[in-house]
């Protein structure tokens, strides 16, 4: 049975999609069968893997709204062990269309039940908001990975996602756990990065991954080429950081 991990933080620009794409790719390189579900209407995880987010064809919207089966919308990637469920801008309207559905929070959970046996890891890239889409992702997940950038205001938003996780656990998914908090955009030359890292580790202790994702130009460039860092520049610091994260995640299993 596969493990479902939602990557969530209501704050934008924290490295959420970067983490979804590059962690999925790193696990796939380790020959783990991985499914990446792009559940963000912006579709950045889709384009970050070289797929056309504006192209014709079925997407996660059709799964949630039109009751398509997940296996009908799966797309191949450059990595043999990595499949993706793409997103398009159609997903923006899904929340309105689901408003009168009594099972609206469980649509994604139900959809994934048909393929969970085919994958060892299912990674869900959530939108940067605490919306019905995010609630669906957290209801479907076994755990949540929270990217947290090493910048001044980073800690202000984390309490909100923690509260949301507690609410989901109390009402929709009692098994939901925090997989870990991932420090991202770490700049070793910047005192703020060190201060934020120290404060987060002091407060959340073992909930924080040992791996730290450092600022890296090649990591920032890779999405524009439709490739994860490991395929764009395997020697880059960003690729190495995400391979370390994959190893740490695998060691916990």
């Amino acid at each position: 049975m596969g493990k479902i991990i939602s990557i969530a933080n209501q704050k934008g620009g924290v490295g959420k999609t970067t983490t979804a794409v590059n962690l999925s790719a790193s696990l796939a390189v380790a020959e783990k069968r991985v499914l990446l579900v792009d559940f963000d209407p912006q579709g950045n995880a889709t384009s970050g893997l070289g797929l056309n987010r504006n192209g014709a064809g079925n997407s996660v919207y059709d799964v949630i709204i039109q009751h398509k089966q997940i296996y009908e919308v799966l797309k191949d990637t450059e990595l043999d062990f990595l499949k993706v469920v793409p997103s398009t801008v159609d997903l923006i309207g899904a929340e309105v269309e689901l408003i009168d559905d009594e099972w609206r929070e469980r649509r994604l959970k139900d959809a994934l039940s048909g393929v969970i046996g085919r994958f060892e890891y299912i990674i869900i890239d959530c939108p940067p908001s605490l919306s019905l889409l995010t609630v669906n992702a957290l209801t479907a997940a076994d755990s949540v990975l929270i990217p947290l950038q090493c910048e001044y205001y980073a800690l202000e938003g984390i309490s909100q996602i923690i509260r949301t996780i507690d609410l989901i656990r109390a009402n929709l998914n009692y098994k939901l756990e925090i997989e870990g908090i991932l420090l991202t955009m770490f700049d070793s030359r910047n005192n703020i990065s060190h201060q934020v890292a120290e404060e987060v580790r002091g407060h959340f202790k073992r909930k924080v991954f040992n791996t730290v994702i450092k600022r890296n130009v090649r990591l920032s460039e890779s999405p524009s080429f439709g490739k994860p860092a490991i395929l764009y520049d395997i020697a880059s610091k960003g690729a190495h950081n995400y391979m370390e994260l994959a190893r740490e995640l695998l060691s916990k299993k």
Side-chain angles (χ1 to χ4, degrees), residues 54-252:
N54 300 313
N58 293 323
S59 69
V60 72
Y61 170 84
D62 299 284
V63 173
I64 299 301
I65 302 298
Q66 305 296 338
H67 300 283
K68 292 274 187 184
Q69 298 296 312
I70 286 273
Y71 64 79
E72 295 181 79
V73 305
L74 287 182
K75 305 290 184 185
D76 293 330
T77 71
E78 288 187 67
L79 295 165
D80 291 340
F81 285 81
L82 176 59
K83 308 292 183 187
V84 62
V85 176
S87 178
T88 65
V89 292
D90 293 340
L91 194 58
I92 293 172
E95 294 194 59
V96 175
E97 295 180 64
L98 288 173
I99 240 169
D100 295 323
D101 187 333
E102 65 174 314
W103 301 107
R104 57 186 175 270
E105 299 94 350
R106 294 180 169 84
R107 280 293 187 90
L108 184 59
K109 180 182 177 68
D110 291 344
L112 290 175
S113 65
V115 296
I116 194 168
R118 291 176 54 184
F119 298 95
E120 291 167 273
Y121 288 94
I122 297 176
I123 308 292
I124 307 172
D125 184 27
C126 297
S129 62
L130 297 178
S131 61
L132 180 57
L133 295 177
T134 302
V135 170
N136 258 267
L138 297 180
T139 301
D142 297 306
S143 62
V144 191
L145 190 158
I146 307 170
L148 181 73
Q149 89 271 37
C150 294
E151 295 178 357
Y152 187 74
Y153 292 109
L155 291 170
E156 290 188 358
I158 197 166
S159 59
Q160 193 174 358
I161 186 69
I162 298 292
R163 281 198 300 272
T164 300
I165 291 167
D166 288 340
L167 285 170
I168 296 292
R169 193 183 286 133
N171 296 285
L172 293 165
N173 181 6
Y174 73 93
K175 293 182 177 179
L176 185 64
E177 298 179 347
I178 295 177
E179 187 69 39
I181 296 169
L182 177 66
L183 297 170
T184 64
M185 303 179 190
F186 183 89
D187 186 342
S188 59
R189 301 164 299 179
N190 189 329
N191 286 337
I192 289 293
S193 285
H194 291 282
Q195 289 169 13
V196 169
E198 186 177 342
E199 191 168 344
V200 172
R201 291 193 188 281
H203 186 75
F204 291 102
K205 314 231 182 275
R206 296 180 66 183
K207 287 291 184 187
V208 185
F209 283 102
N210 293 324
T211 302
V212 173
I213 309 301
K214 298 175 181 175
R215 284 196 180 277
N216 179 241
V217 172
R218 305 298 272 174
L219 187 61
S220 301
E221 290 175 348
S222 60
S224 63
F225 290 86
K227 294 178 182 291
I230 203 166
L231 293 181
Y232 179 62
D233 183 356
I234 195 170
S236 67
K237 188 182 297 181
H240 285 189
N241 287 166
Y242 277 106
M243 285 189 282
E244 287 172 19
L245 178 63
R247 281 192 290 268
E248 187 172 353
L249 189 65
L250 290 169
S251 71
K252 294 170 67 175

